[in-house]
Every structure is written in C-alpha cells, then in structure tokens.
Amino acid sequence: MTRRALLLATAAASAAWQTPSLAQGEQAPAFRPTRAVRLISPLLAGGATDAIVRPIALKLSQLWNQPVVVDNKPGGGTIIGTQAVVQSPPDGYTLGVAISALTINPSLRNDLPYDTFKDISPLTQIGNITGALVAHPSFPAHDLEGLIAQAKASPGALSYASLGVGTGGHITGELLKVRRGFDMVHVPFSGSNAAYRELLPGRIPVGFVVLESALPHVKAGKLKVLGLTDVQRNKLYPEFPVLEETVKGTGYDSVFGLIAPGRMAPDLLDQINADVVKVLALPEIRQQLAQQAMAVVASSAPEFAQVIRRDVEHWKRAVKESGARVN
C-alpha cells in the first residue's frame, strides 16, 4: 500500500467511527456531573486492572466532586462488562474499561451482543498492558528461540499456560506454533493467580502472563522472562527482548483504555477526554502506572479509535492464521 493510500484509509476509518475532536487551540467545556459516575471494569476486582483504574477513578472523583464508582462486571471474556456499558445512556455517567479482549472478540466470536464500531465510543487510551512469556528457572531455554528448539526436540511434550481461552497470550502462542512449526499444548487458566499456582512450582514450564504481575516473581528468581509481547522494546523494561525480534508479526501493543456508550455527543466525549487526560498527566498517577509496568499514552478519542481499528485488524489476521478458537 502506498503512503497516500494508507493516509486515505486511515482518514476513512476515523471518519467512519464518528469521533471528531476539537479544533486546534479550542478547549472543551468542563464536564461537571451532578451525581455519581459509574466506571465498569469487565474483570474481577483486585487484579492488575483494578490497580490501574482505581487511582484514576479517585482523581476523577476529586476533579468532578462526585463519586466515580468502579463497578466490576467480569465474565464472558469481558463481554458482560462491555455490554453493560453499551446498554447505558450516552450521557457521561457510565464509562467502561477496555482491554485487548475488546479488539480480539470481533474475530473470535460471531455472537457478540454489540457492534464494536457502532455501539462503543472510544474515549482515551491510557496505555498498554505488556504481556510476558515467562518460564520456570529450571526450564533449559532462556529465550524464545531456545523454547522453539526445545519444543521441536520433544513434539507435544511441552505445555504453556495462558490467562484464558481467547486471550492475547493464547492466540499468540498458537500463532508462534504455526509460524515456526512446533507443537506445544495450551493450558488455559481463569486469571493470573490460577496460572501462577502451576507456573511457580514448574508443573507447567512456560506461560503467557501480564508483566506487572510477573515482575515480583522474576525479581525473586522464581520465574524468568523469555520475551515480551510488545511490538518494540518496552520503554520501562528495555532489558527484556520482545517476541517480535524472533518471529515477526507476533508482537502486539495490548490496548488499555476507557470507552463510553456509542453515539455519545462529540462535545461531551471531548469534555470527558480532557478531564481524563488531565488526571493522567498528574505525576502521582504516572508513577502509580509505572509501578504497573505501564507508560501513559493519554490519547485523544479519535487516536484511540484508530488504535482499536489497528488492533482489530491484527487479531483478525492472527486468529485466521493460527486457527485459535474459543471452544
């Protein structure tokens, strides 16, 4: 694709989502709610997502002088929580958390109860959640190339953990197998705690987890990092290689951001975006997110819409090539 064609395609994608931004130099009027705002998280309480979202909710509460209540609605591969956002009025009083499942589900599931592009208004990309391929210290390989060699030497003898069927780790694991022609058994778990119960004692030798949750175990010498799932080396942890360096096309920047119900008025979307970006600029918030291995992006709504479309295309290709399924 030529540069001109690429620019035209990007412009068309942005227009299709209907998320216009403010003109240059123009400032959004203040959003000042008169009652509590609900922030729906599609995952269980107490996990890495909560550690990112709750400090932001607290600062928004202080800015708006109204409670911002984090409402955890897990289940269905994040579909339950996302549907709760979609079904809410687009009045600013219900927002949602978007993770990579938002961009994976359109390719894996043909029974979504909502249209990702029509029923959701992208609000802002907070940052990226970094996935990590980790291994028990006793595992002979120290990088992805070594893992591939080990798997080829013992076809079907190795297994790898993921944080669930249909997650980025699951699809990436299957894609690696197809790209490099090796076999390894997928063992899905319902979250990090369950996966670590098998990874830490070495009953499952390798697995895809979230870098933030893995770091304490890595620093304690209980796990080692074979590679990160980022497209490029992580700015906060450049010492770790990325899978993309070994197998092109397998890296991804796992989206993490906020969304709103579809068809929200552009001026209201801009108002809320301006307030969230203001909160994300606070040094204490940036420090807290850095502790979760996340660098702040704080994008505009149209920029986040483009990121979501890009990621949907990545997962469409990855699902098709890997043959990954939810059943």
Side-chain angles (χ1 to χ4, degrees):
M1 182 179 286
T2 66
R3 174 177 172 81
R4 176 177 171 79
L6 180 60
L7 290 172
L8 289 173
T10 301
S14 298
W17 209 314
Q18 298 181 339
T19 54
S21 62
L22 294 170
Q24 187 173 6
E26 188 179 351
Q27 195 167 13
F31 173 64
R32 291 298 175 261
T34 57
R35 53 185 170 85
V37 174
R38 186 168 60 144
L39 178 54
I40 297 175
S41 172
L43 297 174
L44 288 167
T49 300
D50 263 23
I52 295 168
V53 169
R54 289 185 183 273
I56 295 172
L58 177 61
K59 291 298 182 181
L60 285 173
S61 298
Q62 295 169 355
L63 177 63
W64 290 337
N65 199 29
Q66 293 290 340
V68 177
V69 181
V70 178
D71 185 3
N72 294 90
K73 289 186 174 296
T78 74
I79 292 174
I80 291 175
T82 303
Q83 187 175 15
V85 176
V86 165
Q87 293 175 338
S88 300
D91 56 9
Y93 286 93
T94 301
L95 307 175
V97 178
I99 62 171
S100 59
L102 180 75
T103 57
I104 293 173
N105 283 335
S107 298
L108 268 185
R109 304 172 187 270
N110 55 16
D111 57 348
L112 285 180
Y114 51 82
D115 186 309
T116 304
F117 299 118
K118 293 181 180 179
D119 298 331
I120 292 169
S121 296
L123 180 57
T124 187
Q125 181 183 4
I126 295 173
N128 296 313
I129 293 284
T130 296
L133 178 60
V134 298
H136 191 266
S138 64
F139 189 63
H142 299 290
D143 54 23
L144 177 58
E145 200 65 69
L147 167 63
I148 294 171
Q150 184 84 4
K152 285 186 174 182
S154 306
L158 292 179
S159 58
Y160 77 95
S162 81
L163 302 184
V165 173
T167 58
H170 166 215
I171 298 170
T172 301
E174 298 304 298
L175 184 60
L176 286 169
K177 287 160 59 175
V178 170
R179 287 274 177 97
R180 292 298 297 269
F182 66 94
D183 189 21
M184 195 163 57
V185 179
H186 174 226
V187 183
F189 291 93
S190 57
S192 297
N193 290 338
Y196 285 129
R197 281 197 291 268
E198 300 301 312
L199 287 167
L200 290 173
R203 287 190 288 268
I204 294 182
V206 299
F208 286 93
V209 294
V210 175
L211 176 61
E212 177 271 329
S213 66
L215 284 173
H217 303 302
V218 172
K219 292 175 181 177
K222 297 178 180 179
L223 289 174
K224 58 185 176 182
V225 175
L226 303 185
L228 303 184
T229 59
D230 294 337
V231 174
Q232 298 178 334
R233 292 246 174 170
N234 189 287
K235 293 179 180 179
L236 298 176
Y237 297 95
E239 67 270 24
F240 295 133
V242 293
L243 306 182
E244 183 76 10
E245 293 170 357
T246 301
V247 184
K248 295 292 183 184
T250 56
Y252 61 94
D253 292 327
S254 184
V255 64
F256 191 97
L258 298 184
I259 57 174
R263 290 173 280 276
M264 178 176 279
D267 59 341
L268 178 57
L269 200 64
D270 279 329
Q271 291 169 28
I272 300 174
N273 173 276
D275 284 343
V276 175
V277 168
K278 187 183 299 182
V279 164
L280 293 176
L282 295 172
E284 59 268 37
I285 289 295
R286 289 179 172 265
Q287 183 178 4
Q288 286 174 308
L289 295 190
Q291 291 171 356
Q292 307 300 318
M294 178 180 287
V296 172
V297 173
S299 70
S300 68
E303 287 169 343
F304 191 29
Q306 290 184 28
V307 168
I308 291 175
R309 285 192 177 277
R310 180 203 67 198
D311 284 7
V312 167
E313 289 303 313
H314 166 81
W315 292 117
K316 185 186 297 184
R317 293 189 297 269
V319 168
K320 183 177 181 180
E321 183 178 347
S322 68
R325 297 289 181 269
V326 292
N327 296 323

